[in-house]
């Protein structure tokens, strides 16, 4: 069983920055996809950024491209999400997710494709 624990959420003013962390109990270097999702009140949970652990290949939602950066530290078994130039629409609960995935298949962006989830961390952006 893989455990994921997010941290780093909080309140920030629009235009500011925040870095989220996700500590994993297990971190596979191959066949391993990790992602950040977010869910705003009354909305569906959406993928914000996805990373394939073996080569660091990333994919971002259009709404965060150029503002958010997903990265990993394999030695620390930690995934990060650096957020800059945040706006009020970034307000949501942010979740870390992970799943095993064959290398021949790209990392998914669909909630149901991820096996392991963190408890979530709240990010609130004020204007």
């Amino acid at each position: 069983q893989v455990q994921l624990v997010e941290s780093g959420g909080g309140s920030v003013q629009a235009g500011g920055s925040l870095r989220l962390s996700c500590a994993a109990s297990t971190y596979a270097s191959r066949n391993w996809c990790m992602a950040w999702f977010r869910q705003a009140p009354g909305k569906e949970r959406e993928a914000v950024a996805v990373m394939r652990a073996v080569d660091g290949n990333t994919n971002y939602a259009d709404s965060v491209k150029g503002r958010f950066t997903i990265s990993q530290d394999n030695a620390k078994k930690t995934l990060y999400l650096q957020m800059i130039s945040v706006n009020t629409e970034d307000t949501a609960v942010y979740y870390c997710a992970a799943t095993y995935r064959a290398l021949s298949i790209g990392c998914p962006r669909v909630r149901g494709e991820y096996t392991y989830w963190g408890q979530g961390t709240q990010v609130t952006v004020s204007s």
Side-chain angles (χ1 to χ4, degrees):
Q1 184 72 14
V2 177
Q3 293 183 329
L4 304 173
V5 179
E6 302 100 334
S7 61
S11 297
V12 61
Q13 288 192 327
S17 62
L18 208 60
R19 189 176 80 159
L20 307 182
S21 299
C22 172
S25 59
T26 300
Y27 207 93
S29 59
R30 295 180 63 83
N31 300 346
W32 189 241
C33 292
M34 297 198 75
W36 287 99
F37 283 74
R38 69 184 180 186
Q39 188 165 17
K43 294 188 176 181
E44 295 290 321
R45 192 172 299 187
E46 63 172 350
V48 173
V50 174
M51 169 174 275
R52 186 165 64 187
V54 67
D55 59 10
N57 185 271
T58 59
N59 186 273
Y60 295 92
D62 288 342
S63 59
V64 305
K65 281 182 181 177
R67 300 189 300 118
F68 290 10
T69 303
I70 187 172
S71 63
Q72 61 182 346
D73 185 328
N74 287 6
K76 295 182 178 179
K77 295 187 290 185
T78 301
L79 184 75
Y80 301 99
L81 184 69
Q82 179 68 51
M83 308 163 61
I84 65 171
S85 302
V86 297
N87 56 61
T88 56
E89 294 184 351
D90 295 321
T91 294
V93 177
Y94 284 72
Y95 298 89
C96 175
T99 192
Y100 291 99
R101 194 80 167 187
L103 291 180
S104 60
I105 303 173
C107 287
R109 296 179 51 81
V110 178
R111 175 181 181 176
E113 297 290 325
Y114 282 83
T115 305
Y116 307 105
W117 290 87
Q119 81 287 353
T121 185
Q122 176 71 47
V123 172
T124 303
V125 182
S126 59
S127 58

